[in-house]
Amino acid sequence: NAGVTQTPKFQVLKTGQSMTLQCAQDMNHNSMYWYRQDPGMGLRLIYYSASEGTTDKGEVPNGYNVSRLNKREFSLRLESAAPSQTSVYFCASSESWQGLFGANVLTFGAGSRLTVL
Amino acid sequence: GQQVMQIPQYQHVQEGEDFTTYCNSSTTLSNIQWYKQRPGGHPVFLIQLVKSGEVKKQKRLTFQFGEAKKNSSLHITATQTTDVGTYFCAGYNYGQNFVFGPGTRLSVLP
């Protein structure tokens, strides 16, 4: 049982290049999320998908787009990378949306370290 | 919007010493979760607290939710090198996504 799988683990981009981070979960979770982690900033929500077919902006969505391809997969795209997007990106999933009463536990992937030069 | 702060930002302890990290929210919370992230790893869920004044224990770890549901603490008794990592709290309110604190990084010297 792999849980949440992210690819790639590491990526170096030049300013202006585009790329897509892939995420897949095998726990039959309904909700998926993309976070970025920067030193001293904790985890900040970029976009989330409460259920298949829906996506919503989080705290820091500018410069990103997402696609919920199916129930298992949720991708994050940087159309024109900027140095400010240098970060570690985590995909996470939960059984249902974390905003529902009872709050759900987040299961995180191993992370993708992105450097934009 | 809701803000979640944690203190201290860093803590260095000698193995065997106790450790406490504090989490404070700008608003009353429905509940709070704690996560641990080992160096180079990803956050892993530790526990969820729901009730005012709730105290939960996991071996050497004691978690507490404040009476006003605006603060929480994590206390580790007799730290071990396996406790090294960053501890995050995540505050939750119904209808909203979690808000993570910036974390407390714990170093344990053998």
Side-chain angles (χ1 to χ4, degrees):
Chain A
N1 195 345
V4 178
T5 303
Q6 291 180 233
T7 57
K9 288 189 176 358
F10 301 94
Q11 185 72 52
V12 179
L13 292 177
K14 294 182 179 178
T15 297
Q17 288 185 321
S18 62
M19 78 158 297
T20 300
L21 298 176
Q22 306 285 355
C23 175
Q25 53 89 12
D26 62 4
M27 297 171 287
N28 201 35
H29 283 174
N30 290 296
S31 304
M32 298 184 74
Y33 313 84
W34 277 104
Y35 288 89
R36 61 177 289 173
Q37 183 175 35
D38 302 293
M41 301 288 287
L43 292 152
R44 293 184 292 169
L45 184 64
I46 305 171
Y47 269 94
Y48 66 100
S49 172
S51 61
E52 186 180 358
T54 69
T55 59
D56 283 287
K57 295 178 180 179
E59 182 185 354
V60 288
N62 290 344
Y64 305 95
N65 285 301
V66 290
S67 295
R68 184 75 183 265
L69 304 170
N70 49 56
K71 190 173 184 178
R72 291 186 63 248
E73 299 173 287
F74 188 40
S75 63
L76 178 71
R77 183 160 178 83
L78 287 70
E79 291 291 350
S80 180
S84 61
Q85 294 178 305
T86 294
S87 188
V88 180
Y89 292 85
F90 287 100
C91 178
S93 69
S94 60
E95 191 170 331
S96 56
W97 179 48
Q98 58 185 246
L100 293 177
F101 185 75
N104 281 271
V105 173
L106 295 172
T107 300
F108 287 85
S112 299
R113 184 174 294 275
L114 174 65
T115 301
V116 183
L117 303 175
Chain B
Q2 179 188 347
Q3 292 185 335
V4 176
M5 303 304 297
Q6 281 184 256
I7 54 171
Q9 189 176 2
Y10 302 97
Q11 184 78 58
H12 306 279
V13 300
Q14 203 74 36
E15 188 173 19
E17 292 181 338
D18 292 356
F19 160 77
T20 304
T21 175
Y22 300 90
C23 178
N24 296 291
S25 170
S26 59
T27 62
T28 302
L29 300 169
S30 298
N31 55 34
I32 196 162
Q33 295 185 353
W34 284 90
Y35 290 78
K36 176 184 178 182
Q37 183 178 22
R38 295 182 185 275
H42 59 277
V44 175
F45 173 77
L46 292 177
I47 208 159
Q48 176 172 282
L49 304 171
V50 178
K51 299 177 183 177
S52 170
E54 187 171 16
V55 178
K56 286 189 176 181
K57 293 188 176 185
Q58 289 180 349
K59 297 183 180 179
R60 295 177 295 103
L61 277 60
T62 302
F63 303 84
Q64 187 165 5
F65 203 6
E67 294 290 340
K69 301 186 76 174
K70 294 183 70 173
N71 56 71
S72 180
S73 64
L74 158 59
H75 179 82
I76 302 179
T77 303
T79 55
Q80 300 176 358
T81 54
T82 54
D83 296 324
V84 165
T86 301
Y87 293 85
F88 293 98
C89 62
Y92 160 80
N93 274 306
Y94 178 65
Q96 301 173 17
N97 286 295
F98 294 160
V99 176
F100 280 84
T104 295
R105 183 182 298 178
L106 173 64
S107 299
V108 180
L109 305 174

